[in-house]
Every structure is written in structure tokens, then in C-alpha cells.
Amino acid sequence: GITEAQARIIVNNALKLYSQDKTGMVDFALESGGGSILSTRCSETHETKTALISLFGIPLWYFSQSPRVVIQPDIYPGNCWAFKGSQGYLVVRLSMEIHPTSFTLEHIPKTLSPTGNIASAPKNFSVYGLENEYQEEGQLLGQFMFDQEGESLQTFPVPKRPERAFQIVELQIFSNWGHPEYTCLYRFRVHGVPVK
Amino acid sequence: GITEAQARIIVNNALKLYSQDKTGMVDFALESGGGSILSTRCSETHETKTALISLFGIPLWYFSQSPRVVIQPDIYPGNCWAFKGSQGYLVVRLSMEIHPTSFTLEHIPKTLSPTGNIASAPKNFSVYGLENEYQEEGQLLGQFMFDQEGESLQTFPVPKRPERAFQIVELQIFSNWGHPEYTCLYRFRVHGVPVK
Amino acid sequence: SQSGGPCCSPAPLARTPYLVLNYVNGLPPI
């Protein structure tokens, strides 16, 4: 058994970690912190033409989420970047040059999905380090799988810490969990150690 | 030792308080609740010209956070108002006239800072109650110090409850924790008792 | 796959109908 004081400490520590972006780790991809989206290579935003913005009853445009939402912290249902099909690319410039140590992918929990499933979630993916935006073949940092039966937030350690540091990384998604039309990316984070 | 039921109560109460803006106290400075920024007096926003916004490849403007973010709840890294140097002023109109009882200052936790430090955090500060926006010397409500080794959210009780009530307060920052170029304000809250 | 094919070239975000944010001069204030 534990005392009330011990229980309070456990709870407070858990809430403290939760309040620190849930991981307690710096996210070098976060847009407000200096990260930015450089490119989506050949992947295309899945334009559904469902969200119509109007003013005074006059239709103005169809709204769809841009890839920037992948490096923004709002992960309410729908606030994802949807690309056509199940193969997508995202080239991200980090806020600074780091030795990547892990990556975090987040999706909405199944309990919050109006469809009752998360078939649009990414499945197999890789992350590469690029020396510059235009490099075609970067250094493979790791191959991973987002588990739809796992937690809505999953962190993937880099198997082998790269010798060189990177300020640009490329996220390549190869498959999703079954959605035939698109794949949704809610949030991708990059953790690591800055170069001195 | 405590029972499982008691542990659940402790957890639920902690979560409840956390969900109540972390403090369970009204923030009369909160913009969405009716607060507004009246002035920054002679302090200047630290314009870094780093965040360039473009559309169709055409550069439009450099984005920087306005003082309004100080009374908005988003405190992700970078979502602060940065003023030049370490002396800054912020005149806030509260949502109603109150007898201030305490103030809360928040900064990002060190664990989330890409630089590994929070040198841009405010250190010594004072809060004054003003009778009107143009009053030059208000009533000193208290002098405080935000501790960089403390919690990321710190609440400072007013030492002596003022006799009169105020709807305008001025936050004066005198020093920061070492950043040579700017000081970042993430969020400032004002708590108190409304006049009847 | 990374090499070969039309996906090598970076697709310019300049053609997209939404605002693009790029950091051009170091870190923003944090």
C-alpha cells in the first residue's frame, strides 16, 4: 500500500509530464518553435471539397488542412493533413541542427473517431536525414510501424544514433491502416540532441 | 495506506483542477473572457524577421507574435510576446473591476526549450493598479520574482489587498534570466474578487 | 523508394493555395 502523500506525488508527476507536451522532450519540428514544412515531394493533399467557407452567403473557397498542421499541436479530429493514397512524403526543416534520437507520431484515439476506426492512420514509415532540401537520397534514420492497436501517441527511438547531425528530415509513409482514399497525419515530432 | 477508491478520488480531483485552467481561479486578464491589451508603453516587440509568410511563392510579410498572446492560453514554445531587452511594460484591461488577490506568470518548462534554457524568462517584476489607461504612476500591488528553477506556472499573492478596485493593471518587467536580446512573456493572469 | 521516379524532385509548396511559413533568419523568440 501507499500513503496519500505518495499517491499525490505520483499524480502530480504524471500531470507535470502530461503538461510538458505529454513527452517532456523538445520537439524540434514544432512550427511555433522554429520548425517548418519545406516540401511534400510528389504527395498531394487529398482535396475533398467538403468544407465550404462563405461570407454573407457568398461561397468563397473550399478549405482543407495544409501540411503545416503536422507540426502544430492541435490534434482534434479533422486537424490532420490528408494526402492521397497511402504513400506520402513530408520534408521538415527543424528549428536547429540535431542528432535525432527518436520520433513521435500521433493519431486520434479510436474512441474519438466518428467512423469508429482509424483506417486513415499511417502504418509503415521511414525517416531520413537530409543534408539539404534538394537531396534525393538521405540517410535512413529508421523504419517503423505505427500500431493502430497501440497508444494514440507512439515514440520510436532511432536504432543507431547517426554520426552526423541534421536540420532537415524526411518522413516517408508507405502504407496506412486500410483507408482506400487517403492517409491522415495528425502530428509528427522529432526529438534529439542539438549540436554544440 | 490508502484504498483504490481514495486513489481514484485523488486522481480525479487533480485532473479536475488541471482542466480548470490549471489553477481553478478566474483569470480576469484572459482575452476571450473580456480582457484586452491597452498598451506596451515604451517597450518594443523584438522583431526578428525570421518567420516569413508566403502565398504562391510570393513573400507577404514577416510574422511575429503580438502582445495579445500574453492573455491567450496557448503556451507552446514560441507562442510568447518578445520585447527588446529585459525591461518591458504591459497595460492590461481586465474583463471587470476587481480587487486583485494574486497574479500568475507562466513560461515554458526548460525540458521543452530547444535552447535547453529559459534565459528569456522574466525575473523581477511588479504589478500596478491603474485608475485609467493614461495614469503614469499607479498603485503598486506587489513586487515579485519568477523563479527559473521553480514550476513553469507560478502564482504570486498580493501582499496587501488594495482598498480600491481596479480594471486596469500594469505589468512591469525589470529583468530576465540572462537573455541578452529579448524577454519572452508566455502568459500573465490576474486573479481577484469582483466588486459587488 | 527514395531514388528514381518523379517523386525525387521536391514539389514546390509555392503552387499551393495556402499560406506557407518559412524561417529565414534563425530561431523565433522562445
Side-chain angles (χ1 to χ4, degrees), chain A residues 1-4 7-8 11-12 15-16 18-21 23-26 28 30 32-33 68 73 95-96 187 194, chain B residues 1-3 6-7 10-11 14-15 18 22 53 65 74 76-79 109-116 151-152:
Chain A
I2 59 171
T3 65
E4 187 178 318
R8 287 192 193 282
V11 169
N12 286 343
L15 275 178
K16 188 170 175 177
Y18 184 85
S19 74
Q20 293 179 3
D21 211 5
T23 60
M25 293 190 286
V26 180
F28 293 94
L30 185 70
S32 61
R68 286 171 63 193
S95 49
M96 55 181 66
R187 188 170 170 201
Chain B
I2 58 171
T3 64
Q6 285 170 313
I10 289 173
V11 170
L15 277 177
Y18 186 87
K22 294 192 192 168
I53 305 283
Q65 301 284 7
D74 183 341
Y76 273 90
N79 290 341
K110 226 177 273 193
T111 52
L112 294 188
S113 175
T115 59
E151 299 295 313
S152 54

Side-chain angles (χ1 to χ4, degrees), chain A residues 92-103:
Chain A
V92 182
R93 184 177 180 273
L94 308 176
S95 49
M96 55 181 66
E97 202 175 347
I98 62 168
H99 291 278
T101 53
S102 60
F103 310 106

Side-chain angles (χ1 to χ4, degrees), chain A residues 31 41-42 67 136-137 172, chain C residues 2-3 7-8 11 18-19 23:
Chain A
E31 187 176 75
R41 292 216 190 266
C42 54
E136 289 180 6
E137 279 215 49
Q172 287 191 15
Chain C
Q2 180 83 23
S3 59
C7 211
C8 288
Y18 39 73
L19 294 177
Y23 288 99

Side-chain angles (χ1 to χ4, degrees), chain A residues 31-39 41-42 45 66-68 89 93 95-96 128 134 136-138 170 172, chain C residues 1-4 6-13 16-24 26-30:
Chain A
E31 187 176 75
S32 61
S36 56
I37 301 295
L38 291 183
S39 163
R41 292 216 190 266
C42 54
T45 297
S66 84
R68 286 171 63 193
Y89 305 79
R93 184 177 180 273
S95 49
M96 55 181 66
Y128 292 81
Y134 305 103
E136 289 180 6
E137 279 215 49
E170 179 174 339
Q172 287 191 15
Chain C
S1 66
Q2 180 83 23
S3 59
C7 211
C8 288
S9 47
L13 288 175
T16 53
Y18 39 73
L19 294 177
V20 170
L21 185 153
N22 285 115
Y23 288 99
V24 299
L27 276 182
I30 297 182

Side-chain angles (χ1 to χ4, degrees), chain B residues 97-109:
Chain B
E97 203 174 347
I98 63 167
H99 291 277
T101 52
S102 59
F103 310 105
T104 293
L105 256 195
E106 241 174 311
H107 202 81
I108 52 168

Side-chain angles (χ1 to χ4, degrees), chain B:
Chain B
I2 58 171
T3 64
E4 187 178 319
Q6 285 170 313
R8 286 189 195 285
I9 289 172
I10 289 173
V11 170
N12 286 343
N13 286 344
L15 277 177
K16 188 170 175 176
L17 181 65
Y18 186 87
S19 73
Q20 292 176 358
D21 211 6
K22 294 192 192 168
T23 60
M25 293 191 286
V26 179
D27 174 14
F28 291 94
L30 186 68
E31 185 176 72
S32 61
S36 57
I37 301 295
L38 292 182
S39 161
T40 60
R41 293 221 193 265
C42 50
S43 34
E44 291 174 59
T45 297
H46 176 72
E47 302 280 5
T48 47
K49 289 190 163 43
T50 64
L52 180 61
I53 305 283
S54 326
L55 184 62
F56 300 122
I58 303 165
L60 296 176
W61 55 76
Y62 289 104
F63 171 77
S64 58
Q65 301 284 7
S66 84
R68 287 172 61 197
V69 300
V70 182
I71 51 176
Q72 294 171 358
D74 183 341
I75 54 162
Y76 273 90
N79 290 341
C80 58
W81 172 58
F83 59 83
K84 283 185 190 170
S86 57
Q87 294 200 352
Y89 306 80
L90 201 66
V91 182
V92 182
R93 185 175 184 276
L94 308 175
S95 49
M96 57 180 69
E97 203 174 347
I98 63 167
H99 291 277
T101 52
S102 59
F103 310 105
T104 293
L105 256 195
E106 241 174 311
H107 202 81
I108 52 168
K110 226 177 273 193
T111 52
L112 294 188
S113 175
T115 59
N117 67 63
I118 53 167
S120 67
K123 191 175 175 184
N124 295 107
F125 67 98
S126 294
V127 185
Y128 291 81
L130 304 183
E131 291 178 25
N132 61 69
E133 183 183 346
Y134 305 103
Q135 189 183 22
E136 286 183 10
E137 277 214 51
Q139 181 178 338
L140 178 65
L141 300 173
Q143 285 184 306
F144 314 98
M145 189 191 80
F146 181 85
D147 185 2
Q148 70 164 348
E149 301 302 326
E151 299 295 313
S152 54
L153 184 153
Q154 296 173 26
T155 300
F156 307 87
V158 169
K160 183 182 162 194
R161 171 171 158 152
E163 276 182 28
R164 64 154 296 170
F166 297 97
Q167 191 163 4
I168 302 176
V169 300
E170 179 175 344
L171 169 65
Q172 289 192 17
I173 313 283
F174 300 114
S175 56
N176 67 22
W177 282 97
H179 200 290
E181 290 172 45
Y182 60 80
T183 304
C184 253
L185 280 184
Y186 275 89
R187 186 169 172 201
F188 171 63
R189 314 185 200 194
V190 181
H191 315 291
V193 177
V195 297
K196 299 218 184 282

